Amino acid sequence: MAHASHIFSYKTLGLALGALLVLTGVTVGASYIDLGWINVWIALVIASTKAGLVLVVFMHIKSAGKGVVVSFLSTVCFLAIMIGFIFWDVAFR
Amino acid sequence: MAEKPDQTGKKLGMWLFLYTEIILFGGLFVLYAVYFSWYTPDFILGAKQLDLGFGLANTVILLVSSFLVAASITAVQKNQRPFALTALAGALVCGAVFLVNKYVEWGHKIEIGIFPGSEKLLDGPAPQNLFFGLYYVVTGLHGIHIVIGMVLLGVSFFLVLCRKITAQDDAVLDNCGLYWHLVDLIWIFIFPLFYLVV
């Protein structure tokens, strides 16, 4: 059964692909509406959602075990700290 | 029955490697983000010179290829070898089309004098030179990853063909797939950052 745990049916994979394509359309559409600095955040939120879909469905991160999930989130946290501190530094120069 | 190979260890090792890749591209994205916040108008002008069509086409191509790689793993688990091989071959074709697009896109840019160290960029506004410098470094590094990913998918294809990758032991295919999905994941962020800046 250890192997069966990371199988996703073709249907689930296809639905994920559909959602990813729709989100790509949404992000392109949103870029045509000028909302100033909010545009960047909309693009990043959509990209993160797409990344989440790829991680959960295509990369089946959950079946890789708790260790992988926790270490992955730690990596993202580290990246966020790096980005946060660099912007902090840049903002107060 | 033979002892089951250590699937968990192999996967954890692959994920640890993927984290270093995330930090590698993360560093470049930070560089981009800081310069973008300093020189927003110039970066917007730079982004407008990129061809959205190529960026969008390559996004769709990579998403479809990721789906095919994931489907090949499901197929191997279901002992549907011919379908697994077809899906992997399809993903390889997607990778090749991506690279051809990139070649045409870069070729056109170079033709109109937009490349690192070109007179047009050196004489123009410095921030635009920065934008295109980052564009070439980030998409170039990503392109190298596509080539490596294609080699890995090719190896997987061969191993499935030789029945070395089976439903009982598919760690190699799984890990090659993880690498390919990461390359797709990185493109998911490259696309809006470079092509969709308004």
Side-chain angles (χ1 to χ4, degrees):
Chain A
M1 279 311 286
H3 291 287
S5 61
H6 70 259
I7 295 189
F8 277 104
S9 67
Y10 298 128
K11 193 182 162 193
T12 310
L13 296 176
L15 283 173
L17 175 64
L20 286 165
L21 292 175
V22 168
L23 284 170
T24 303
V26 172
T27 194
V28 171
S31 75
Y32 284 101
I33 308 163
D34 192 358
L35 299 167
W37 59 272
I38 301 172
N39 276 100
V40 176
W41 287 103
I42 292 174
L44 284 176
V45 166
I46 295 173
S48 302
T49 310
K50 287 167 75 182
L53 265 171
V54 171
L55 277 162
V56 172
V57 183
F58 290 166
M59 298 172 89
H60 45 81
I61 188 169
K62 280 183 184 166
S63 76
K66 222 178 210 170
V68 168
V69 175
V70 170
S71 56
F72 176 81
L73 291 175
S74 306
T75 306
V76 175
C77 282
F78 176 80
L79 200 60
I81 291 168
M82 182 166 84
I83 294 170
F85 270 72
I86 287 172
F87 269 92
W88 193 12
D89 172 43
V90 165
F92 294 104
R93 265 182 203 204
Chain B
M1 194 181 148
E3 201 177 315
K4 215 174 270 175
D6 178 16
Q7 305 281 344
T8 315
K10 286 176 187 171
K11 257 187 228 173
L12 185 63
M14 189 64 199
W15 278 99
L16 288 176
F17 168 66
L18 295 186
Y19 302 155
T20 68
E21 294 277 26
I22 291 172
I23 298 299
L24 169 68
F25 279 94
L28 288 168
F29 286 150
V30 173
L31 199 61
Y32 178 93
V34 170
Y35 282 134
F36 176 78
S37 69
W38 281 354
Y39 309 115
T40 311
D42 281 289
F43 268 47
I44 289 172
L45 283 176
K48 287 210 190 309
Q49 294 175 61
L50 294 184
D51 196 326
L52 177 62
F54 278 115
L56 184 59
N58 273 349
T59 304
V60 173
I61 287 165
L62 277 194
L63 290 175
V64 171
S65 74
S66 254
F67 162 78
L68 289 171
V69 170
S72 78
I73 294 172
T74 301
V76 164
Q77 289 295 325
K78 292 184 169 191
N79 286 316
Q80 297 168 339
R81 226 166 53 94
F83 183 68
L85 289 170
T86 311
L88 281 173
L92 275 168
V93 171
C94 287
V97 175
F98 180 97
L99 288 178
V100 169
N101 274 346
K102 198 94 263 171
Y103 171 78
V104 175
E105 191 187 0
W106 275 26
H108 177 65
K109 286 278 159 308
I110 291 167
E111 211 169 282
I112 58 172
I114 296 177
F115 56 90
S118 74
E119 268 175 44
K120 189 177 174 182
L121 285 184
L122 289 178
D123 296 341
Q128 278 195 43
N129 193 6
L130 266 176
F131 175 84
F132 283 105
L134 279 164
Y135 162 75
Y136 276 107
V137 169
V138 174
T139 59
L141 191 62
H142 181 266
I144 292 171
H145 280 74
I146 291 276
V147 174
I148 298 169
M150 284 176 69
V151 171
L152 293 176
L153 290 181
V155 170
S156 299
F157 180 90
F158 183 71
L159 291 175
V160 173
L161 195 69
C162 302
R163 295 175 197 271
K164 290 262 172 23
I165 289 174
T166 58
Q168 283 72 42
D169 185 8
D170 68 342
V172 175
L173 176 61
D174 222 21
N175 282 348
C176 292
L178 283 177
Y179 186 84
W180 190 258
H181 296 312
L182 186 90
V183 173
D184 181 22
L185 209 76
I186 290 163
W187 184 261
I188 285 175
F189 285 93
I190 292 178
F191 173 58
L193 285 180
F194 281 93
Y195 292 85
L196 294 179
V197 182
V198 287

